[in-house]
Amino acid sequence: MHLKTLFHLAVAATVALGSSSALAQSAAEPAYGPELQGFDYPYPVEHYRFSSQGQELDMAYLDVKPATPNGQTAVLLHGKNFCAATWDGTIKALSGAGYRVIAIDQIGFCKSSKPERYQFTFQQLAGNSRALLASLGIAHAIMVGHSTGGMLAMRYALMYPEATDQLVLVDPIGLEDWKAKGVPWLSLDGWMQRETRVTADSIRAYERATYYADTWDASYETWVQMLAGMYRGPGRAAVASSSARLYDMIATQPVFYEFEQIKPPTLLFVGDKDTTAIGKDTAPPEIRKTLGNYPVLGKEAAKRIPHAQLIEFPDLGHSPQIQAPARFHEALLGWLQHPETGATLVK
């Protein structure tokens, strides 16, 4: 069955089962277009239009130039449930220190195109990012990836080592191979079914537990509504279809076995309260409890990645740049200016 048809059938079934109260609540909350139309970014949005896989695509990005340039460019790669806008604090910190900052919305996410027949691979997303940078005359840059963006940043560094000055990984997922550890395979139809159950409440509960170590600040709600708004909007079928295929990409395309081949100086940030593991909830209980152990995963990855330094935040979760921005940015800027390797620091 076609993914779009499956989505509409699932939505219809949900309505038939009596979700009128939830729908009424949603009507009072923001609804955004499939490319996040209606949601404002903190900086002007630029557009890179190109052809890929026989389709004309539009990749949105932010290009923030510093008042006093230091001659370096930092490229920010967002996570699965994040967008270029969620890097707002990091953009301010980096541009304030003289870096030109490019924050990209990858194809399939946020303000970028969500093509229905697109094969998502980390190689394709890395290639798209490289083409965007080339169009801007940027031959090399510091690559900064968070969460899924961390997997993408590693793939980018493996594909384009000469174009990667330094590599920063912020609670990257993919520090383990979930399938090899026993997480069951989930079909694309299965991922689509999960997408039909996404609500602001489910997003908020997951983010509170995983991203922010069971803490909550009112400022986090903006990012909840950013995501939930796309699932309330007129393009929710395209949003769900892209999301399902992206989850399949994450689950089936490990970078875990190539850490030793990463060449640039690398900084790995880990919030020790992070427990992210794709598909963990589908695994048997005895396997589930072994997944997403970031204090262990971070140390193991730092030993395997050449020229790597690990910085741990014992009290933080999956998003230290949002949860404790001052501490995070102090550590980030300090390393960028004086990169060191072979040490584990606790912040």
Side-chain angles (χ1 to χ4, degrees), residues 39-71:
F39 184 89
D40 293 332
Y41 274 20
Y43 301 94
V45 178
E46 309 288 345
H47 297 271
Y48 174 58
R49 295 178 175 88
F50 65 108
S51 178
S52 177
Q53 299 183 20
Q55 303 179 68
E56 297 303 314
L57 303 178
D58 184 333
M59 188 154 65
Y61 66 97
L62 306 178
D63 185 354
V64 181
K65 298 179 177 67
T68 306
N70 65 10

mmCIF file of all heavy atoms in Angstrom, residues 39-71:
data_model
loop_
_atom_site.group_PDB
_atom_site.id
_atom_site.type_symbol
_atom_site.label_atom_id
_atom_site.label_comp_id
_atom_site.label_asym_id
_atom_site.label_seq_id
_atom_site.Cartn_x
_atom_site.Cartn_y
_atom_site.Cartn_z
ATOM 1 N N PHE A 39 6.201 29.274 10.675
ATOM 2 C CA PHE A 39 7.115 29.247 11.818
ATOM 3 C C PHE A 39 8.318 30.104 11.473
ATOM 4 O O PHE A 39 9.029 29.853 10.496
ATOM 5 C CB PHE A 39 7.557 27.823 12.133
ATOM 6 C CG PHE A 39 8.431 27.706 13.364
ATOM 7 C CD1 PHE A 39 7.859 27.512 14.608
ATOM 8 C CD2 PHE A 39 9.816 27.806 13.266
ATOM 9 C CE1 PHE A 39 8.652 27.417 15.749
ATOM 10 C CE2 PHE A 39 10.622 27.707 14.392
ATOM 11 C CZ PHE A 39 10.034 27.518 15.633
ATOM 12 N N ASP A 40 8.570 31.126 12.278
ATOM 13 C CA ASP A 40 9.647 32.075 11.990
ATOM 14 C C ASP A 40 10.983 31.590 12.532
ATOM 15 O O ASP A 40 11.073 31.095 13.659
ATOM 16 C CB ASP A 40 9.321 33.446 12.587
ATOM 17 C CG ASP A 40 8.135 34.120 11.909
ATOM 18 O OD1 ASP A 40 7.909 33.836 10.713
ATOM 19 O OD2 ASP A 40 7.443 34.906 12.578
ATOM 20 N N TYR A 41 12.027 31.766 11.733
ATOM 21 C CA TYR A 41 13.391 31.472 12.152
ATOM 22 C C TYR A 41 14.049 32.753 12.683
ATOM 23 O O TYR A 41 13.640 33.858 12.320
ATOM 24 C CB TYR A 41 14.191 30.915 10.977
ATOM 25 C CG TYR A 41 14.057 29.424 10.775
ATOM 26 C CD1 TYR A 41 12.984 28.719 11.321
ATOM 27 C CD2 TYR A 41 14.981 28.710 10.034
ATOM 28 C CE1 TYR A 41 12.858 27.352 11.142
ATOM 29 C CE2 TYR A 41 14.871 27.342 9.838
ATOM 30 C CZ TYR A 41 13.803 26.669 10.395
ATOM 31 O OH TYR A 41 13.688 25.315 10.220
ATOM 32 N N PRO A 42 15.071 32.613 13.496
ATOM 33 C CA PRO A 42 15.696 33.802 14.106
ATOM 34 C C PRO A 42 16.569 34.604 13.142
ATOM 35 O O PRO A 42 16.991 35.708 13.474
ATOM 36 C CB PRO A 42 16.541 33.212 15.238
ATOM 37 C CG PRO A 42 16.844 31.821 14.799
ATOM 38 C CD PRO A 42 15.629 31.368 14.049
ATOM 39 N N TYR A 43 16.840 34.058 11.966
ATOM 40 C CA TYR A 43 17.649 34.737 10.956
ATOM 41 C C TYR A 43 16.987 34.548 9.594
ATOM 42 O O TYR A 43 16.175 33.626 9.413
ATOM 43 C CB TYR A 43 19.072 34.152 10.918
ATOM 44 C CG TYR A 43 19.803 34.248 12.226
ATOM 45 C CD1 TYR A 43 19.789 33.191 13.139
ATOM 46 C CD2 TYR A 43 20.507 35.403 12.571
ATOM 47 C CE1 TYR A 43 20.452 33.281 14.348
ATOM 48 C CE2 TYR A 43 21.182 35.492 13.784
ATOM 49 C CZ TYR A 43 21.149 34.432 14.665
ATOM 50 O OH TYR A 43 21.800 34.523 15.873
ATOM 51 N N PRO A 44 17.315 35.393 8.619
ATOM 52 C CA PRO A 44 16.734 35.235 7.277
ATOM 53 C C PRO A 44 17.039 33.862 6.694
ATOM 54 O O PRO A 44 18.166 33.363 6.813
ATOM 55 C CB PRO A 44 17.408 36.347 6.465
ATOM 56 C CG PRO A 44 17.828 37.368 7.476
ATOM 57 C CD PRO A 44 18.185 36.589 8.711
ATOM 58 N N VAL A 45 16.048 33.252 6.081
ATOM 59 C CA VAL A 45 16.207 31.923 5.497
ATOM 60 C C VAL A 45 16.629 32.058 4.034
ATOM 61 O O VAL A 45 15.976 32.745 3.248
ATOM 62 C CB VAL A 45 14.894 31.122 5.601
ATOM 63 C CG1 VAL A 45 15.047 29.745 4.940
ATOM 64 C CG2 VAL A 45 14.478 30.963 7.066
ATOM 65 N N GLU A 46 17.724 31.404 3.683
ATOM 66 C CA GLU A 46 18.204 31.358 2.308
ATOM 67 C C GLU A 46 17.779 30.024 1.682
ATOM 68 O O GLU A 46 17.404 29.083 2.400
ATOM 69 C CB GLU A 46 19.731 31.486 2.268
ATOM 70 C CG GLU A 46 20.290 32.664 3.047
ATOM 71 C CD GLU A 46 20.006 33.994 2.386
ATOM 72 O OE1 GLU A 46 19.638 33.999 1.190
ATOM 73 O OE2 GLU A 46 20.147 35.034 3.072
ATOM 74 N N HIS A 47 17.865 29.942 0.354
ATOM 75 C CA HIS A 47 17.409 28.738 -0.336
ATOM 76 C C HIS A 47 18.428 28.300 -1.382
ATOM 77 O O HIS A 47 18.868 29.112 -2.206
ATOM 78 C CB HIS A 47 16.053 28.982 -1.006
ATOM 79 C CG HIS A 47 14.960 29.285 -0.037
ATOM 80 N ND1 HIS A 47 14.186 28.299 0.548
ATOM 81 C CD2 HIS A 47 14.525 30.468 0.480
ATOM 82 C CE1 HIS A 47 13.316 28.871 1.379
ATOM 83 N NE2 HIS A 47 13.507 30.172 1.352
ATOM 84 N N TYR A 48 18.784 27.028 -1.328
ATOM 85 C CA TYR A 48 19.640 26.411 -2.344
ATOM 86 C C TYR A 48 18.761 25.479 -3.169
ATOM 87 O O TYR A 48 18.252 24.473 -2.654
ATOM 88 C CB TYR A 48 20.779 25.636 -1.688
ATOM 89 C CG TYR A 48 21.625 24.845 -2.654
ATOM 90 C CD1 TYR A 48 22.270 25.476 -3.715
ATOM 91 C CD2 TYR A 48 21.787 23.474 -2.497
ATOM 92 C CE1 TYR A 48 23.054 24.746 -4.599
ATOM 93 C CE2 TYR A 48 22.576 22.737 -3.369
ATOM 94 C CZ TYR A 48 23.197 23.382 -4.427
ATOM 95 O OH TYR A 48 23.971 22.659 -5.302
ATOM 96 N N ARG A 49 18.556 25.829 -4.425
ATOM 97 C CA ARG A 49 17.686 25.046 -5.307
ATOM 98 C C ARG A 49 18.559 24.210 -6.239
ATOM 99 O O ARG A 49 19.468 24.729 -6.884
ATOM 100 C CB ARG A 49 16.746 25.971 -6.065
ATOM 101 C CG ARG A 49 15.769 26.692 -5.126
ATOM 102 C CD ARG A 49 14.852 27.662 -5.847
ATOM 103 N NE ARG A 49 13.868 28.218 -4.911
ATOM 104 C CZ ARG A 49 14.068 29.301 -4.161
ATOM 105 N NH1 ARG A 49 15.230 29.940 -4.242
ATOM 106 N NH2 ARG A 49 13.136 29.737 -3.345
ATOM 107 N N PHE A 50 18.267 22.924 -6.290
ATOM 108 C CA PHE A 50 19.099 22.012 -7.072
ATOM 109 C C PHE A 50 18.278 20.799 -7.497
ATOM 110 O O PHE A 50 17.149 20.589 -7.033
ATOM 111 C CB PHE A 50 20.317 21.565 -6.255
ATOM 112 C CG PHE A 50 19.981 20.737 -5.025
ATOM 113 C CD1 PHE A 50 20.252 19.380 -4.981
ATOM 114 C CD2 PHE A 50 19.401 21.320 -3.898
ATOM 115 C CE1 PHE A 50 19.959 18.616 -3.856
ATOM 116 C CE2 PHE A 50 19.106 20.581 -2.769
ATOM 117 C CZ PHE A 50 19.383 19.222 -2.750
ATOM 118 N N SER A 51 18.839 20.015 -8.387
ATOM 119 C CA SER A 51 18.183 18.803 -8.874
ATOM 120 C C SER A 51 18.867 17.590 -8.276
ATOM 121 O O SER A 51 20.104 17.510 -8.248
ATOM 122 C CB SER A 51 18.253 18.754 -10.406
ATOM 123 O OG SER A 51 17.665 17.562 -10.897
ATOM 124 N N SER A 52 18.076 16.661 -7.781
ATOM 125 C CA SER A 52 18.614 15.435 -7.193
ATOM 126 C C SER A 52 17.612 14.314 -7.376
ATOM 127 O O SER A 52 16.410 14.499 -7.150
ATOM 128 C CB SER A 52 18.901 15.647 -5.700
ATOM 129 O OG SER A 52 19.353 14.454 -5.082
ATOM 130 N N GLN A 53 18.098 13.158 -7.821
ATOM 131 C CA GLN A 53 17.260 11.990 -8.051
ATOM 132 C C GLN A 53 16.076 12.337 -8.971
ATOM 133 O O GLN A 53 14.951 11.864 -8.779
ATOM 134 C CB GLN A 53 16.778 11.399 -6.724
ATOM 135 C CG GLN A 53 17.916 10.938 -5.826
ATOM 136 C CD GLN A 53 17.448 10.290 -4.539
ATOM 137 O OE1 GLN A 53 16.302 9.833 -4.435
ATOM 138 N NE2 GLN A 53 18.318 10.235 -3.536
ATOM 139 N N GLY A 54 16.337 13.173 -9.964
ATOM 140 C CA GLY A 54 15.324 13.524 -10.944
ATOM 141 C C GLY A 54 14.256 14.472 -10.450
ATOM 142 O O GLY A 54 13.218 14.624 -11.097
ATOM 143 N N GLN A 55 14.507 15.130 -9.307
ATOM 144 C CA GLN A 55 13.520 16.037 -8.742
ATOM 145 C C GLN A 55 14.153 17.395 -8.462
ATOM 146 O O GLN A 55 15.332 17.481 -8.113
ATOM 147 C CB GLN A 55 12.948 15.456 -7.443
ATOM 148 C CG GLN A 55 12.324 14.075 -7.621
ATOM 149 C CD GLN A 55 11.789 13.516 -6.318
ATOM 150 O OE1 GLN A 55 10.819 14.015 -5.767
ATOM 151 N NE2 GLN A 55 12.425 12.465 -5.823
ATOM 152 N N GLU A 56 13.345 18.448 -8.609
ATOM 153 C CA GLU A 56 13.797 19.785 -8.285
ATOM 154 C C GLU A 56 13.532 20.042 -6.806
ATOM 155 O O GLU A 56 12.380 19.948 -6.352
ATOM 156 C CB GLU A 56 13.072 20.822 -9.149
ATOM 157 C CG GLU A 56 13.350 20.670 -10.636
ATOM 158 C CD GLU A 56 14.834 20.738 -10.967
ATOM 159 O OE1 GLU A 56 15.512 21.658 -10.447
ATOM 160 O OE2 GLU A 56 15.314 19.867 -11.732
ATOM 161 N N LEU A 57 14.574 20.360 -6.056
ATOM 162 C CA LEU A 57 14.483 20.455 -4.602
ATOM 163 C C LEU A 57 14.914 21.835 -4.115
ATOM 164 O O LEU A 57 15.638 22.557 -4.797
ATOM 165 C CB LEU A 57 15.360 19.384 -3.944
ATOM 166 C CG LEU A 57 15.068 17.935 -4.336
ATOM 167 C CD1 LEU A 57 16.038 16.998 -3.647
ATOM 168 C CD2 LEU A 57 13.627 17.555 -4.008
ATOM 169 N N ASP A 58 14.470 22.144 -2.910
ATOM 170 C CA ASP A 58 14.786 23.418 -2.263
ATOM 171 C C ASP A 58 15.309 23.111 -0.867
ATOM 172 O O ASP A 58 14.589 22.553 -0.034
ATOM 173 C CB ASP A 58 13.531 24.285 -2.193
ATOM 174 C CG ASP A 58 13.788 25.673 -1.612
ATOM 175 O OD1 ASP A 58 14.734 25.825 -0.809
ATOM 176 O OD2 ASP A 58 13.031 26.600 -1.935
ATOM 177 N N MET A 59 16.583 23.436 -0.637
ATOM 178 C CA MET A 59 17.186 23.213 0.670
ATOM 179 C C MET A 59 17.342 24.559 1.375
ATOM 180 O O MET A 59 18.065 25.444 0.895
ATOM 181 C CB MET A 59 18.537 22.504 0.546
ATOM 182 C CG MET A 59 19.120 22.061 1.880
ATOM 183 S SD MET A 59 20.255 20.639 1.757
ATOM 184 C CE MET A 59 21.595 21.319 0.795
ATOM 185 N N ALA A 60 16.662 24.728 2.501
ATOM 186 C CA ALA A 60 16.716 25.968 3.268
ATOM 187 C C ALA A 60 17.951 25.962 4.169
ATOM 188 O O ALA A 60 18.384 24.908 4.647
ATOM 189 C CB ALA A 60 15.451 26.122 4.101
ATOM 190 N N TYR A 61 18.485 27.154 4.391
ATOM 191 C CA TYR A 61 19.639 27.252 5.285
ATOM 192 C C TYR A 61 19.764 28.680 5.803
ATOM 193 O O TYR A 61 19.175 29.624 5.260
ATOM 194 C CB TYR A 61 20.927 26.840 4.561
ATOM 195 C CG TYR A 61 21.347 27.750 3.434
ATOM 196 C CD1 TYR A 61 22.306 28.747 3.626
ATOM 197 C CD2 TYR A 61 20.809 27.612 2.163
ATOM 198 C CE1 TYR A 61 22.716 29.582 2.586
ATOM 199 C CE2 TYR A 61 21.205 28.441 1.113
ATOM 200 C CZ TYR A 61 22.151 29.426 1.328
ATOM 201 O OH TYR A 61 22.550 30.255 0.310
ATOM 202 N N LEU A 62 20.509 28.814 6.870
ATOM 203 C CA LEU A 62 20.839 30.114 7.442
ATOM 204 C C LEU A 62 22.309 30.394 7.170
ATOM 205 O O LEU A 62 23.150 29.497 7.299
ATOM 206 C CB LEU A 62 20.572 30.122 8.946
ATOM 207 C CG LEU A 62 19.167 29.711 9.403
ATOM 208 C CD1 LEU A 62 19.075 29.711 10.924
ATOM 209 C CD2 LEU A 62 18.107 30.616 8.797
ATOM 210 N N ASP A 63 22.617 31.613 6.798
ATOM 211 C CA ASP A 63 23.990 32.020 6.546
ATOM 212 C C ASP A 63 24.238 33.295 7.365
ATOM 213 O O ASP A 63 23.829 34.386 6.977
ATOM 214 C CB ASP A 63 24.195 32.284 5.052
ATOM 215 C CG ASP A 63 25.647 32.604 4.693
ATOM 216 O OD1 ASP A 63 26.466 32.727 5.619
ATOM 217 O OD2 ASP A 63 25.947 32.731 3.486
ATOM 218 N N VAL A 64 24.863 33.123 8.511
ATOM 219 C CA VAL A 64 25.046 34.229 9.450
ATOM 220 C C VAL A 64 26.512 34.640 9.441
ATOM 221 O O VAL A 64 27.394 33.857 9.815
ATOM 222 C CB VAL A 64 24.592 33.831 10.870
ATOM 223 C CG1 VAL A 64 24.758 35.011 11.829
ATOM 224 C CG2 VAL A 64 23.142 33.351 10.851
ATOM 225 N N LYS A 65 26.763 35.874 9.014
ATOM 226 C CA LYS A 65 28.127 36.371 8.897
ATOM 227 C C LYS A 65 28.480 37.203 10.135
ATOM 228 O O LYS A 65 27.676 38.008 10.595
ATOM 229 C CB LYS A 65 28.279 37.191 7.625
ATOM 230 C CG LYS A 65 28.030 36.379 6.347
ATOM 231 C CD LYS A 65 28.166 37.227 5.110
ATOM 232 C CE LYS A 65 27.991 36.389 3.853
ATOM 233 N NZ LYS A 65 26.623 35.870 3.712
ATOM 234 N N PRO A 66 29.668 37.021 10.667
ATOM 235 C CA PRO A 66 30.063 37.720 11.899
ATOM 236 C C PRO A 66 30.413 39.180 11.637
ATOM 237 O O PRO A 66 30.785 39.558 10.522
ATOM 238 C CB PRO A 66 31.290 36.940 12.360
ATOM 239 C CG PRO A 66 31.891 36.451 11.072
ATOM 240 C CD PRO A 66 30.733 36.135 10.161
ATOM 241 N N ALA A 67 30.329 39.977 12.679
ATOM 242 C CA ALA A 67 30.735 41.382 12.567
ATOM 243 C C ALA A 67 32.241 41.490 12.366
ATOM 244 O O ALA A 67 32.718 42.344 11.611
ATOM 245 C CB ALA A 67 30.304 42.146 13.821
ATOM 246 N N THR A 68 32.985 40.625 13.029
ATOM 247 C CA THR A 68 34.449 40.619 12.907
ATOM 248 C C THR A 68 34.899 39.213 12.522
ATOM 249 O O THR A 68 35.111 38.356 13.386
ATOM 250 C CB THR A 68 35.103 41.038 14.240
ATOM 251 O OG1 THR A 68 34.570 42.292 14.670
ATOM 252 C CG2 THR A 68 36.611 41.159 14.086
ATOM 253 N N PRO A 69 35.040 38.921 11.239
ATOM 254 C CA PRO A 69 35.337 37.553 10.801
ATOM 255 C C PRO A 69 36.716 37.077 11.229
ATOM 256 O O PRO A 69 37.681 37.852 11.243
ATOM 257 C CB PRO A 69 35.259 37.661 9.266
ATOM 258 C CG PRO A 69 34.531 38.934 8.978
ATOM 259 C CD PRO A 69 34.851 39.850 10.111
ATOM 260 N N ASN A 70 36.786 35.793 11.566
ATOM 261 C CA ASN A 70 38.086 35.182 11.865
ATOM 262 C C ASN A 70 38.569 34.309 10.710
ATOM 263 O O ASN A 70 39.589 33.626 10.825
ATOM 264 C CB ASN A 70 38.023 34.371 13.165
ATOM 265 C CG ASN A 70 37.087 33.165 13.063
ATOM 266 O OD1 ASN A 70 36.607 32.804 11.988
ATOM 267 N ND2 ASN A 70 36.805 32.537 14.198
ATOM 268 N N GLY A 71 37.800 34.306 9.604
ATOM 269 C CA GLY A 71 38.197 33.557 8.418
ATOM 270 C C GLY A 71 37.759 32.109 8.408
ATOM 271 O O GLY A 71 38.048 31.377 7.449
#
